[in-house]
Amino acid sequence: MSSVKDAFADSGKTINFSNKKSKQYLLTAFVSILLVSALIGVVVVGVKSRRHSSAVDSEVHALVKSSCSSTFYPELCYSTITSHPDVSNKVKSQKDVIELAVEIIETAVKKNYFQIKKLTTRKGLTPREIAALHDCLELVSETLDEVQKVEKDLEEYQTKKSLKQHANDLKTLMSSGITDQETCLDGFSHDGADKKVRKELEKGQVKVRKMCSNALAMICNMTDTDLANEERLNGRKLEEENSVWPEWLSVGDRKLLQSGTVKANVVVAADGSGNYKTVAAAVAAAPSKSSSRYVIRIKAGVYRENVEVPKGKTNIMFLGDGRKNTIITGSRSVKGGSTTFDSATVAIVGDGFLARDITFQNTAGASNHQAVALRVGSDLSAFYQCDMLAYQDTLYVHKNRQFYINCLVVGTVDFIFGNAAAVLQDCDIHARRPNSGQKNMLTAQGRTDPNQNTGIVIQKCRIGATSDLSPVQGSFPTYLGRPWKQYSRTVVMQSSISNVIHPAGWFEWDGNFALSTLYYGEYRNTGAGAGTSGRVKWKGYKVITSATEAQGFTPGNFIAGGSWLKNTGFPFALGL
């Protein structure tokens, strides 16, 4: 292409500069040349800009694809993230990919909430369908809180907490998000009519569950890599933090709990001698988002009520006058019209909950199907010297990290169930007489994703039969558990197992379902029912022989107990 200088030279050959008209022609030509040059420049810059933008997009998409490769639903992961209008500006690292994925989940969760809200106004719904929809609203609301906490934790990653604590908290939050979606849909599984409503919700709930699964997989990939790098740099295995106090616990509370002295904020007494006559009234009056331990002393008596400690009521403690004297009892059941979730006599959601010297009971009986005595979704919650008494589905360890010490759990079918990371230590777990033709199952663990850090651990416990079952236990086979969900995980270790447990140990849920994907382990148990020679031969079952493997299921490792159990004031052992 000719240069601007050449163009002027060529023009000079044909235009007479002494002529006014020629000068105008020259000026016009000059302006035209400048415009053409400018246009060429713009085109060149535009091409370069597009090439640069294309290169950036290509790099971003490659990073997203690489991050999504660790997930179970990579196509969904890639398409949802790369279709975000601001992906090129927001994604510069693996953590950015996760943060954007979580941001997209938050939007999807909000959309589901409003869909469910709209369905609640539909005419012709059965009472249980209405109850199930309200369960879903509560669960989706909790998911939103969990997702927002994940966003905050990712922003503060490797700054506010130790890497190990960040990893554990992030995995717990995302695991709970997955569980919420499953629990919502489970509420529509009792009647044939439920299936129509379930079908309308299923697409949105399943999509959020898969997106949460993808985020969890990427979180596991990132944190496991970072922990391995930190361990390599330090040249030693990272120790469990055992001197870290939770952010919510005040100095005063620490001293009180360490000394064993607990001062009540309010007193509940059925006879009117306290501040409140019902436990529910005391909970309703408790402060929200409390940064200090709020102790509700429940005097001896039988409290016939259903109690919920909602998510906004944190760090509450129920202090009874002895498990045989302080009893909270109810009788809701699935046969009576409730959902399993809503049948709980006492439901604990607010984080940091403690209970001591109380009985939680559901008296619906064996014929009324699922009837929960205690449901727990509270993170970093603990129960000491408490009884949980019912039949089917006694103790619902719904989600998050939980610890039970020196408690009694009694029931028939699936009577410890859910998808929390729960450790029962030094507890008595007793099967009771079920209905004719029924089998007893101690556990039904509900892990749906292999990356979830969840499971039921029974450690140093005593497994036996109640007095009504013992004389006839040959007629009612009793098993350690069965797989409720695909990746069910239960470990029984260092426990005394009586002959109430069938030699096979474990039972199927439905044919071959989950038998190769579950994880059922036994480690160093004793007693007439502890022999493993006759146990099931499933791919997912194993006799644990490695102390290192067993150590992974202790309170110190499985529920990060070293960072919070000390603050409960309850006894505990972190290791084997």
Side-chain angles (χ1 to χ4, degrees):
M1 183 173 66
S2 300
S3 68
V4 174
K5 184 179 180 182
D6 291 338
F8 272 113
D10 291 342
S11 297
K13 289 178 182 176
T14 56
I15 298 171
N16 184 354
F17 283 93
S18 61
N19 187 292
K20 187 176 180 181
K21 199 177 227 184
S22 298
K23 289 180 180 178
Q24 289 177 337
Y25 286 141
L26 179 61
L27 182 60
T28 302
F30 177 65
V31 170
S32 299
I33 291 167
L34 285 179
L35 287 172
V36 170
S37 300
L39 184 60
I40 291 169
V42 168
V43 170
V44 171
V45 170
V47 170
K48 287 183 177 178
S49 176
R50 283 196 299 275
R51 285 176 181 168
H52 176 71
S53 177
S54 178
V56 169
D57 287 347
S58 180
E59 289 175 8
V60 168
H61 284 214
L63 178 56
V64 173
K65 190 171 185 179
S66 173
S67 298
C68 289
S69 65
S70 65
T71 70
F72 289 100
Y73 312 99
E75 290 181 8
L76 175 66
C77 178
Y78 181 80
S79 64
T80 53
I81 295 172
T82 55
S83 62
H84 191 282
D86 212 18
V87 62
S88 295
N89 294 326
K90 290 197 171 188
V91 171
K92 301 290 186 295
S93 67
Q94 181 187 17
K95 186 166 81 75
D96 292 340
V97 175
I98 301 171
E99 287 181 316
L100 187 53
V102 175
E103 181 184 319
I104 294 167
I105 292 170
E106 182 179 357
T107 301
V109 170
K110 289 176 181 176
K111 181 181 178 181
N112 283 355
Y113 182 89
F114 289 114
Q115 182 195 7
I116 297 164
K117 189 81 172 172
K118 186 177 180 181
L119 276 173
T120 61
T121 63
R122 178 178 292 180
K123 294 180 180 179
L125 295 171
T126 67
R128 183 156 46 231
E129 285 171 338
I130 293 170
L133 285 169
H134 283 287
D135 290 348
C136 285
L137 286 175
E138 179 181 339
L139 290 158
V140 171
S141 176
E142 289 171 23
T143 304
L144 188 59
D145 280 358
E146 287 150 1
V147 167
Q148 289 169 345
K149 287 178 182 176
V150 169
E151 288 176 319
K152 183 182 177 184
D153 254 22
L154 286 169
E155 286 175 11
E156 299 174 346
Y157 186 60
Q158 299 200 61
T159 59
K160 297 287 184 177
K161 294 180 280 192
S162 72
L163 179 56
K164 192 168 187 178
Q165 197 171 358
H166 265 303
N168 205 292
D169 289 351
L170 284 166
K171 291 174 185 178
T172 297
L173 288 164
M174 287 313 309
S175 293
S176 295
I178 294 170
T179 301
D180 291 335
Q181 317 315 305
E182 286 288 320
T183 307
C184 167
L185 293 176
D186 283 341
F188 299 95
S189 58
H190 301 295
D191 289 327
D194 295 346
K195 293 179 182 178
K196 293 180 181 178
V197 181
R198 179 190 171 106
K199 192 170 183 179
E200 290 189 57
L201 292 177
E202 202 161 24
K203 185 177 179 181
Q205 296 300 121
V206 169
K207 184 177 181 181
V208 168
R209 176 181 62 77
K210 288 180 177 179
M211 290 163 73
C212 286
S213 169
N214 286 340
L216 176 61
M218 290 188 285
I219 284 168
C220 288
N221 183 275
M222 178 182 73
T223 58
D224 290 353
T225 300
D226 290 345
L227 282 167
N229 290 338
E230 186 169 293
E231 182 180 322
R232 189 176 66 254
L233 287 171
N234 290 345
R236 59 181 175 79
K237 187 170 177 61
L238 295 170
E239 298 297 324
E240 175 71 32
E241 298 97 345
N242 55 18
S243 60
V244 180
W245 294 93
E247 295 174 5
W248 47 257
L249 199 69
S250 70
V251 174
D253 280 337
R254 297 174 195 177
K255 291 179 179 178
L256 281 174
L257 289 169
Q258 283 179 308
S259 68
T261 304
V262 182
K263 182 180 178 181
N265 295 89
V266 293
V267 175
V268 177
D271 61 8
S273 62
N275 304 95
Y276 302 95
K277 288 186 177 182
T278 67
V279 180
V283 171
S288 296
K289 303 292 183 182
S290 176
S291 59
S292 299
R293 177 67 60 202
Y294 188 85
V295 180
I296 299 174
R297 186 190 167 204
I298 308 172
K299 294 183 74 172
V302 178
Y303 299 85
R304 302 183 188 281
E305 56 179 310
N306 289 85
V307 181
E308 180 178 6
V309 178
K311 64 180 179 180
K313 304 283 185 172
T314 55
N315 310 317
I316 286 177
M317 179 179 188
F318 284 0
L319 179 62
D321 276 347
R323 61 171 96 183
K324 302 303 179 189
N325 303 318
T326 302
I327 301 169
I328 307 174
T329 184
S331 58
R332 288 180 184 168
S333 68
V334 164
K335 195 170 182 180
S338 294
T339 61
T340 302
F341 188 79
D342 194 47
S343 70
T345 300
V346 176
I348 309 297
V349 184
D351 290 345
F353 179 87
L354 302 179
R356 177 174 179 167
D357 295 318
I358 296 174
T359 288
F360 303 95
Q361 181 176 263
N362 190 313
T363 59
S367 298
N368 281 305
H369 308 314
Q370 298 94 332
V372 176
L374 176 66
R375 165 167 56 85
V376 184
S378 168
D379 194 24
L380 307 181
S381 55
F383 297 78
Y384 175 42
Q385 294 181 170
C386 291
D387 289 359
M388 297 85 176
L389 312 177
Y391 289 81
Q392 183 172 348
D393 289 6
T394 302
L395 175 58
Y396 191 172
V397 290
H398 180 227
K399 63 180 182 180
N400 289 315
R401 293 163 289 193
Q402 309 175 15
F403 182 70
Y404 300 80
I405 178 76
N406 195 207
C407 292
L408 168 66
V409 189
V410 174
T412 56
V413 181
D414 307 334
F415 66 93
I416 303 172
F417 76 109
N419 197 25
V423 177
L424 291 85
Q425 190 178 82
D426 191 25
C427 291
D428 291 281
I429 300 171
H430 292 169
R432 70 194 307 174
R433 181 171 180 162
N435 275 349
S436 179
Q438 285 187 319
K439 299 178 178 65
N440 287 328
M441 306 288 164
L442 268 63
T443 66
Q445 205 282 326
R447 191 168 66 139
T448 60
D449 190 300
N451 284 317
Q452 287 180 299
N453 60 348
T454 55
I456 295 171
V457 177
I458 296 171
Q459 184 194 23
K460 300 179 182 177
C461 293
R462 295 159 294 279
I463 296 171
T466 57
S467 58
D468 66 337
L469 176 62
S470 289
V472 293
Q473 66 184 40
S475 301
F476 301 96
T478 298
Y479 298 85
L480 294 171
R482 60 176 179 164
W484 181 26
K485 302 288 184 178
Q486 187 77 46
Y487 296 93
S488 182
R489 179 162 64 176
T490 301
V491 174
V492 181
M493 59 186 193
Q494 300 170 293
S495 294
S496 171
I497 305 176
S498 79
N499 64 355
V500 71
I501 296 300
H502 190 282
W506 308 84
F507 200 76
E508 301 87 358
W509 183 273
D510 183 14
N512 291 325
F513 171 73
L515 302 188
S516 61
T517 51
L518 59 77
Y519 180 103
Y520 284 169
E522 295 184 56
Y523 176 73
R524 298 188 65 181
N525 297 307
T526 58
T532 57
S533 60
R535 289 294 196 251
V536 293
K537 307 302 179 185
W538 307 337
K539 182 180 178 181
Y541 169 76
K542 71 182 302 183
V543 177
I544 300 171
T545 56
S546 164
T548 302
E549 184 174 355
Q551 191 74 43
F553 297 102
T554 60
N557 289 307
F558 198 61
I559 56 173
S563 66
W564 65 279
L565 285 177
K566 185 193 304 181
N567 319 326
T568 65
F570 300 165
F572 63 90
L574 288 178
L576 294 173

